[in-house]
Amino acid sequence: MHQYCYWRLQGSPNSGHQFVKKQLPPYFSTLQNHKDQTKMEVFTETHLELAMQRAKWLSKASQSCSIVATLIISMVFATMATVPGGLIQEQQDRGLPVYKGKLAFNVF
């Protein structure tokens, strides 16, 4: 087996590019192909679909995170707005907190 296996490189998708860049002489980066395209132009053109898929995934992920954040904020607000112990339901003191006058409630 060869010492370097390009397809076994781990890390970001760019790690393969970095590996090849280190193996070639510096002047190779300025060369162009028969269509007068640099290596970056060829890469961009051939990986356009991958970039579109990445953008769609990112959009879906951000929507999911927004939904989860909204649910969490709703629960936090409901918890903050709820009076500890609830409210008295008898006629004469209706609507007053159950723990009115207790230290724990006053601290709240």
Side-chain angles (χ1 to χ4, degrees):
M1 194 79 186
H2 297 293
Q3 183 180 1
Y4 298 109
C5 297
Y6 174 73
W7 58 90
R8 290 188 180 194
L9 290 176
Q10 297 192 2
S12 69
N14 213 14
S15 60
H17 174 73
Q18 296 298 327
F19 171 77
V20 172
K21 186 176 180 179
K22 289 178 185 175
Q23 303 303 316
L24 296 174
Y27 66 88
F28 267 58
S29 63
T30 59
L31 295 179
Q32 297 178 339
N33 66 5
H34 64 281
K35 295 180 184 178
D36 289 330
Q37 294 175 313
T38 63
K39 65 179 181 178
M40 203 53 167
E41 292 170 341
V42 172
F43 180 83
T44 303
E45 182 181 311
T46 57
H47 290 80
L48 186 60
E49 185 177 337
L50 180 63
M52 297 300 278
Q53 289 174 352
R54 216 182 254 181
K56 286 180 185 177
W57 176 86
L58 186 59
S59 176
K60 287 180 183 179
S62 67
Q63 287 174 356
S64 297
C65 289
S66 296
I67 291 170
V68 170
T70 302
L71 291 173
I72 291 171
I73 289 171
S74 299
M75 290 187 314
V76 168
F77 178 76
T79 303
M80 280 182 8
T82 304
V83 177
L87 301 173
I88 298 174
Q89 299 298 319
E90 285 102 34
Q91 278 302 60
Q92 64 198 39
D93 294 328
R94 182 177 222 136
L96 293 176
V98 173
Y99 295 128
K100 179 182 175 191
K102 304 227 180 203
L103 180 63
F105 180 76
N106 291 336
V107 170
F108 169 76

